[in-house]
Amino acid sequence: MIFSRYEAILVAMLTIVQFTVVLDFAVMAPLGSQLIDALDISTHQFGILVSAYALSAGASGFLLAGFIDRFDRKKILLMMYVGFLIGTIFCATAPSYYFLMGARVVAGIFGGVMSGITFAIVTDYFRYEIRGRVMGFIQMAFSASQILGIPLGLYLAHKWSWHVPFYLVVSIGLINLIMIKRFMQPIPSKYNPELSKSYFQVIKRIFSNKKYLVAFSTTFFLATGGFLLQPYITPHLVFDLNYSEEQLPYVFFSAGIATLIGSPFFGKLSDSWGKYKLFVLGSIMAGIFMLWFVNVPAGNIFMVAVAFSCMMLFVSSRIISATAMITAIPEPQERGAFMNVNSAIQQSSGGIASILGGAVLVDAVDGKGFQNFNLLGIITFISILICIGLMYRVHRIVQQKVVK
């Protein structure tokens, strides 16, 4: 048996944390067509709306990095989760574009650091040899958001309004918050006050470590590869390929099924076969299927679903293997700070990528679609190839550390 009963419960709670945070962010993309119509905004304005969350999340990650290792992991997780849920309630009640943007900033400030805290807990609690399996289960949060969250969110939005999916996130989050408070054991930090007495000392130590800088640069391109394309997928399907909103849940549901089945398998494979080997394979295959997806013509929703499912399946494999490698780099006493800076870079690069993606795309005459979606796919593929080379440096650092 790999996990004890408590470890299985801990992984489940952390997976639900990821599910709510991922769904809160991911549901924005499939709601894109509705938001553009309901708020009377352009595709470019929608890209800014998506970026508001990512950029605020990045800023909060940097700010929290200097303090996070001073607190018990459970306490900081609960504190940030409460703030995230409050921000999501604001999203659910937003009456206008600018109010929604402000609400996304609040949700991003708290939600953006949740992944960093989650992965710090995983790294504190689980040894490297089984961490791929843990990441595989946590990655199922992305799958569940595709299978359950996004299709249900789209249905609720179509049935009532785009506000309702955010109420769904809050409801699930409140239940999980109670579970964490009751069942999760305290995880004391390994903070060493002699090493880092102030915020600026912590930041200086983190950014003066060459190994950490290698990981951060890799994370930047890892996130860029996803955020360049992802926010514009639904507007592309609706406005460019003329699929109805009722058809979209089938596309996301099929992708969720693929990644739900594949994530545990890839997690186990990353531990047994090799994390970097899996990352290379997953990156190449994800790039190939992505190029297929951006070039699928209108009129065949089945091929769209197959291409998108295959793309997301292998995107899942590269995230699992990459996260397992990157979390092995920081020293125990700096783990929380490292993971939050890494998460901040991920979120910031995602926000920048969303804006760049909107700049690359050429708006159609009606301002709701674009003409060169396939060009964005080519740029994303190049970013994926660059990331393979950068991740090799991370792999070498981890190998040297594991041998010692």
Side-chain angles (χ1 to χ4, degrees):
M1 186 175 180
I2 298 175
F3 302 129
S4 67
R5 183 174 180 272
Y6 172 72
E7 288 173 340
I9 294 173
L10 177 62
V11 170
M13 291 187 296
L14 295 177
T15 301
I16 297 172
V17 168
Q18 286 294 94
F19 171 77
T20 51
V21 174
V22 169
L23 180 58
D24 178 80
F25 180 80
V27 79
M28 285 291 291
L31 289 177
S33 57
Q34 284 200 33
L35 288 169
I36 288 171
D37 284 334
L39 301 177
D40 193 23
I41 58 177
S42 68
T43 305
H44 178 67
Q45 286 177 300
F46 173 69
I48 295 175
L49 193 61
V50 174
S51 300
Y53 179 101
L55 293 176
S56 62
S60 68
F62 283 116
L63 291 174
L64 186 63
F67 307 104
I68 187 172
D69 284 314
R70 304 184 186 190
F71 300 98
D72 180 277
R73 303 290 192 215
K74 177 181 177 179
K75 290 181 179 178
I76 196 70
L77 177 65
L78 288 171
M79 187 188 309
M80 294 297 109
Y81 209 14
V82 169
F84 163 73
L85 293 176
I86 291 173
T88 306
I89 290 174
F90 288 152
C91 294
T93 57
S96 64
Y97 173 71
Y98 290 104
F99 190 101
L100 180 59
M101 183 180 294
R104 297 307 292 163
V105 169
V106 174
I109 288 173
F110 293 96
V113 299
M114 297 297 291
S115 291
I117 296 171
T118 299
F119 293 140
I121 292 172
V122 169
T123 311
D124 281 343
Y125 207 90
F126 297 95
R127 66 185 189 277
Y128 182 72
E129 289 74 17
I130 65 168
R131 205 170 295 155
R133 289 175 172 84
V134 178
M135 294 302 177
F137 282 109
I138 292 180
Q139 180 65 17
M140 290 172 66
F142 294 84
S143 309
S145 70
Q146 299 282 339
I147 295 173
L148 302 174
I150 293 179
L152 180 58
L154 284 171
Y155 172 78
L156 295 174
H158 180 71
K159 186 77 173 176
W160 285 286
S161 75
W162 60 266
H163 301 268
V164 179
F166 294 109
Y167 284 115
L168 174 66
V169 173
V170 173
S171 301
I172 298 172
L174 285 174
I175 295 172
N176 195 39
L177 185 70
I178 296 171
M179 291 179 60
I180 291 171
K181 191 174 187 309
R182 180 175 179 181
F183 295 110
M184 184 176 174
Q185 298 173 4
I187 303 179
S189 71
K190 297 178 175 62
Y191 174 68
N192 187 343
E194 296 301 319
L195 290 177
S196 307
K197 297 182 179 180
S198 72
Y199 170 85
F200 295 103
Q201 283 181 317
V202 174
I203 297 300
K204 182 179 179 181
R205 284 178 60 83
I206 293 296
F207 282 98
S208 61
N209 190 316
K210 294 182 180 179
K211 294 179 181 179
Y212 293 179
L213 294 179
V214 170
F216 295 153
S217 62
T218 304
T219 294
F220 181 88
F221 280 95
L222 187 66
T224 302
F227 282 93
L228 274 170
L229 190 70
Q230 187 175 358
Y232 305 101
I233 289 175
T234 298
H236 168 69
L237 295 178
V238 174
F239 297 127
D240 295 340
L241 301 187
N242 298 314
Y243 293 115
S244 66
E245 292 181 358
E246 290 85 351
Q247 292 175 295
L248 297 184
Y250 298 107
V251 176
F252 289 100
F253 182 82
S254 62
I257 289 291
T259 53
L260 183 66
I261 295 172
S263 292
F265 170 76
F266 286 133
K268 184 177 181 180
L269 186 63
S270 72
D271 289 333
S272 59
W273 187 46
K275 295 173 177 62
Y276 181 69
K277 290 180 182 178
L278 178 61
F279 179 81
V280 173
L281 175 63
S283 296
I284 293 174
M285 296 303 295
I288 291 172
F289 284 113
M290 181 196 60
L291 292 178
W292 179 26
F293 172 73
V294 299
N295 286 285
V296 172
N300 194 332
I301 191 68
F302 175 76
M303 294 305 293
V304 170
V306 171
F308 184 66
S309 299
C310 292
M311 179 183 75
M312 295 305 297
L313 173 66
F314 287 103
V315 165
S316 172
S317 72
R318 68 195 297 262
I319 292 175
I320 290 169
S321 52
T323 306
M325 284 187 283
I326 289 173
T327 55
I329 288 182
E331 299 301 323
Q333 66 272 16
E334 298 172 331
R335 192 166 287 150
F338 171 90
M339 293 308 302
N340 269 274
V341 170
N342 192 68
S343 178
I345 291 172
Q346 181 183 40
Q347 297 287 351
S348 300
S349 64
I352 294 170
S354 295
I355 295 173
L356 290 177
V360 169
L361 295 172
V362 177
D363 284 345
V365 177
D366 59 6
K368 294 182 178 180
F370 12 80
Q371 302 173 8
N372 54 352
F373 191 70
N374 58 339
L375 175 61
L376 200 59
I378 295 173
I379 296 174
T380 305
F381 183 66
I382 293 172
S383 177
I384 289 174
L385 295 179
I386 293 173
C387 199
I388 291 176
L390 292 171
M391 189 58 73
Y392 177 74
R393 299 167 66 195
V394 172
H395 167 67
R396 291 291 300 272
I397 293 171
V398 173
Q399 287 297 104
Q400 292 171 4
K401 190 172 182 179
V402 171
V403 170
K404 291 180 181 180

